[in-house]
Amino acid sequence: MLLLELLFAEADLVSLRSAVAAHADAVGLRAERVDALVFVAYELATNVVRHGGGSGELALWAAAGAVYCRVSDEGPGIPPGVDGRKQPEPGSADSRGLWLVRTLADGMHIGTRISESRGSVVTAMISRDR
């Protein structure tokens, strides 16, 4: 069940937060899980603006007791070895956003766009029951 699909750029980041919160609330996520989903979506979208070519696409859908957030771009792609699994050193800006997303989400997958040779796709999952 697709809840939301939108294109975004830097000027859309604030309204993106509101749209994600409204759709997460509509499917019955508890307040703290809505907050986690909003943070995850905002962080991934901000990464796209900063590192992924400046604009991207966000999709939200609910399935199997969770809400999924997929953010994709047409930028240069996430460098090999950057996956957010290791907590960055204090003061380091590298991979902090992906690490924070991994910390808040119940699952995260990093991939590349299939139809083009450039770009990234990151999908995070927020469970309803956590």
PDB file of all heavy atoms in Angstrom, residues 74-89:
ATOM      1  N   GLU A  74      19.892  10.353  -8.179  1.00  0.00           N
ATOM      2  CA  GLU A  74      20.650  10.075  -9.391  1.00  0.00           C
ATOM      3  C   GLU A  74      22.075  10.615  -9.269  1.00  0.00           C
ATOM      4  O   GLU A  74      22.697  10.965 -10.266  1.00  0.00           O
ATOM      5  CB  GLU A  74      19.935  10.666 -10.604  1.00  0.00           C
ATOM      6  CG  GLU A  74      18.598  10.001 -10.856  1.00  0.00           C
ATOM      7  CD  GLU A  74      17.881  10.549 -12.069  1.00  0.00           C
ATOM      8  OE1 GLU A  74      18.487  11.304 -12.857  1.00  0.00           O
ATOM      9  OE2 GLU A  74      16.702  10.208 -12.234  1.00  0.00           O
ATOM     10  N   GLY A  75      22.571  10.690  -8.044  1.00  0.00           N
ATOM     11  CA  GLY A  75      23.908  11.210  -7.789  1.00  0.00           C
ATOM     12  C   GLY A  75      24.989  10.189  -8.079  1.00  0.00           C
ATOM     13  O   GLY A  75      24.752   9.165  -8.731  1.00  0.00           O
ATOM     14  N   PRO A  76      26.177  10.423  -7.542  1.00  0.00           N
ATOM     15  CA  PRO A  76      27.325   9.563  -7.834  1.00  0.00           C
ATOM     16  C   PRO A  76      27.303   8.208  -7.126  1.00  0.00           C
ATOM     17  O   PRO A  76      28.130   7.356  -7.408  1.00  0.00           O
ATOM     18  CB  PRO A  76      28.516  10.398  -7.354  1.00  0.00           C
ATOM     19  CG  PRO A  76      27.939  11.284  -6.292  1.00  0.00           C
ATOM     20  CD  PRO A  76      26.529  11.569  -6.728  1.00  0.00           C
ATOM     21  N   GLY A  77      26.369   7.995  -6.237  1.00  0.00           N
ATOM     22  CA  GLY A  77      26.298   6.734  -5.505  1.00  0.00           C
ATOM     23  C   GLY A  77      27.041   6.814  -4.185  1.00  0.00           C
ATOM     24  O   GLY A  77      27.884   7.674  -3.974  1.00  0.00           O
ATOM     25  N   ILE A  78      26.692   5.935  -3.287  1.00  0.00           N
ATOM     26  CA  ILE A  78      27.342   5.871  -1.975  1.00  0.00           C
ATOM     27  C   ILE A  78      28.665   5.132  -2.158  1.00  0.00           C
ATOM     28  O   ILE A  78      28.694   4.041  -2.735  1.00  0.00           O
ATOM     29  CB  ILE A  78      26.438   5.162  -0.952  1.00  0.00           C
ATOM     30  CG1 ILE A  78      25.152   5.978  -0.766  1.00  0.00           C
ATOM     31  CG2 ILE A  78      27.161   4.975   0.381  1.00  0.00           C
ATOM     32  CD1 ILE A  78      24.095   5.301   0.076  1.00  0.00           C
ATOM     33  N   PRO A  79      29.755   5.712  -1.677  1.00  0.00           N
ATOM     34  CA  PRO A  79      31.060   5.064  -1.865  1.00  0.00           C
ATOM     35  C   PRO A  79      31.109   3.676  -1.223  1.00  0.00           C
ATOM     36  O   PRO A  79      30.468   3.436  -0.196  1.00  0.00           O
ATOM     37  CB  PRO A  79      32.036   6.004  -1.151  1.00  0.00           C
ATOM     38  CG  PRO A  79      31.325   7.318  -1.068  1.00  0.00           C
ATOM     39  CD  PRO A  79      29.867   6.987  -0.986  1.00  0.00           C
ATOM     40  N   PRO A  80      31.868   2.765  -1.805  1.00  0.00           N
ATOM     41  CA  PRO A  80      32.020   1.431  -1.208  1.00  0.00           C
ATOM     42  C   PRO A  80      32.516   1.541   0.239  1.00  0.00           C
ATOM     43  O   PRO A  80      33.362   2.378   0.556  1.00  0.00           O
ATOM     44  CB  PRO A  80      33.082   0.769  -2.095  1.00  0.00           C
ATOM     45  CG  PRO A  80      33.019   1.520  -3.386  1.00  0.00           C
ATOM     46  CD  PRO A  80      32.636   2.922  -3.030  1.00  0.00           C
ATOM     47  N   GLY A  81      31.968   0.712   1.083  1.00  0.00           N
ATOM     48  CA  GLY A  81      32.376   0.692   2.484  1.00  0.00           C
ATOM     49  C   GLY A  81      31.627   1.674   3.367  1.00  0.00           C
ATOM     50  O   GLY A  81      31.741   1.633   4.583  1.00  0.00           O
ATOM     51  N   VAL A  82      30.867   2.585   2.775  1.00  0.00           N
ATOM     52  CA  VAL A  82      30.073   3.531   3.556  1.00  0.00           C
ATOM     53  C   VAL A  82      28.679   2.937   3.694  1.00  0.00           C
ATOM     54  O   VAL A  82      27.906   2.912   2.743  1.00  0.00           O
ATOM     55  CB  VAL A  82      30.015   4.920   2.874  1.00  0.00           C
ATOM     56  CG1 VAL A  82      29.105   5.858   3.646  1.00  0.00           C
ATOM     57  CG2 VAL A  82      31.404   5.510   2.745  1.00  0.00           C
ATOM     58  N   ASP A  83      28.389   2.422   4.885  1.00  0.00           N
ATOM     59  CA  ASP A  83      27.093   1.769   5.072  1.00  0.00           C
ATOM     60  C   ASP A  83      26.431   2.103   6.400  1.00  0.00           C
ATOM     61  O   ASP A  83      25.355   1.606   6.700  1.00  0.00           O
ATOM     62  CB  ASP A  83      27.226   0.256   4.927  1.00  0.00           C
ATOM     63  CG  ASP A  83      28.146  -0.373   5.956  1.00  0.00           C
ATOM     64  OD1 ASP A  83      28.598   0.337   6.889  1.00  0.00           O
ATOM     65  OD2 ASP A  83      28.420  -1.567   5.832  1.00  0.00           O
ATOM     66  N   GLY A  84      27.077   2.929   7.218  1.00  0.00           N
ATOM     67  CA  GLY A  84      26.485   3.338   8.477  1.00  0.00           C
ATOM     68  C   GLY A  84      26.517   2.288   9.573  1.00  0.00           C
ATOM     69  O   GLY A  84      25.878   2.447  10.598  1.00  0.00           O
ATOM     70  N   ARG A  85      27.266   1.217   9.375  1.00  0.00           N
ATOM     71  CA  ARG A  85      27.306   0.164  10.400  1.00  0.00           C
ATOM     72  C   ARG A  85      28.242   0.513  11.565  1.00  0.00           C
ATOM     73  O   ARG A  85      28.043   0.028  12.671  1.00  0.00           O
ATOM     74  CB  ARG A  85      27.746  -1.156   9.781  1.00  0.00           C
ATOM     75  CG  ARG A  85      26.721  -1.717   8.833  1.00  0.00           C
ATOM     76  CD  ARG A  85      27.148  -3.073   8.299  1.00  0.00           C
ATOM     77  NE  ARG A  85      26.335  -3.488   7.192  1.00  0.00           N
ATOM     78  CZ  ARG A  85      25.156  -4.086   7.287  1.00  0.00           C
ATOM     79  NH1 ARG A  85      24.642  -4.333   8.467  1.00  0.00           N
ATOM     80  NH2 ARG A  85      24.488  -4.424   6.205  1.00  0.00           N
ATOM     81  N   LYS A  86      29.226   1.338  11.314  1.00  0.00           N
ATOM     82  CA  LYS A  86      30.200   1.697  12.344  1.00  0.00           C
ATOM     83  C   LYS A  86      29.939   3.132  12.800  1.00  0.00           C
ATOM     84  O   LYS A  86      29.792   4.030  11.977  1.00  0.00           O
ATOM     85  CB  LYS A  86      31.606   1.585  11.768  1.00  0.00           C
ATOM     86  CG  LYS A  86      32.680   1.903  12.753  1.00  0.00           C
ATOM     87  CD  LYS A  86      34.052   1.762  12.116  1.00  0.00           C
ATOM     88  CE  LYS A  86      35.114   2.250  13.068  1.00  0.00           C
ATOM     89  NZ  LYS A  86      36.394   2.409  12.426  1.00  0.00           N
ATOM     90  N   GLN A  87      29.884   3.319  14.117  1.00  0.00           N
ATOM     91  CA  GLN A  87      29.674   4.662  14.652  1.00  0.00           C
ATOM     92  C   GLN A  87      30.871   5.535  14.281  1.00  0.00           C
ATOM     93  O   GLN A  87      32.021   5.152  14.520  1.00  0.00           O
ATOM     94  CB  GLN A  87      29.516   4.626  16.169  1.00  0.00           C
ATOM     95  CG  GLN A  87      29.236   5.985  16.762  1.00  0.00           C
ATOM     96  CD  GLN A  87      28.964   5.929  18.257  1.00  0.00           C
ATOM     97  OE1 GLN A  87      28.975   4.869  18.861  1.00  0.00           O
ATOM     98  NE2 GLN A  87      28.715   7.074  18.831  1.00  0.00           N
ATOM     99  N   PRO A  88      30.600   6.701  13.670  1.00  0.00           N
ATOM    100  CA  PRO A  88      31.703   7.598  13.299  1.00  0.00           C
ATOM    101  C   PRO A  88      32.433   8.122  14.529  1.00  0.00           C
ATOM    102  O   PRO A  88      31.859   8.230  15.614  1.00  0.00           O
ATOM    103  CB  PRO A  88      31.006   8.739  12.567  1.00  0.00           C
ATOM    104  CG  PRO A  88      29.652   8.232  12.234  1.00  0.00           C
ATOM    105  CD  PRO A  88      29.312   7.195  13.250  1.00  0.00           C
ATOM    106  N   GLU A  89      33.681   8.453  14.338  1.00  0.00           N
ATOM    107  CA  GLU A  89      34.470   9.068  15.409  1.00  0.00           C
ATOM    108  C   GLU A  89      33.880  10.433  15.751  1.00  0.00           C
ATOM    109  O   GLU A  89      33.339  11.110  14.869  1.00  0.00           O
ATOM    110  CB  GLU A  89      35.921   9.233  14.950  1.00  0.00           C
ATOM    111  CG  GLU A  89      36.657   7.925  14.725  1.00  0.00           C
ATOM    112  CD  GLU A  89      36.853   7.135  16.009  1.00  0.00           C
ATOM    113  OE1 GLU A  89      37.090   7.758  17.075  1.00  0.00           O
ATOM    114  OE2 GLU A  89      36.753   5.902  15.957  1.00  0.00           O
TER     115      GLU A  89
END
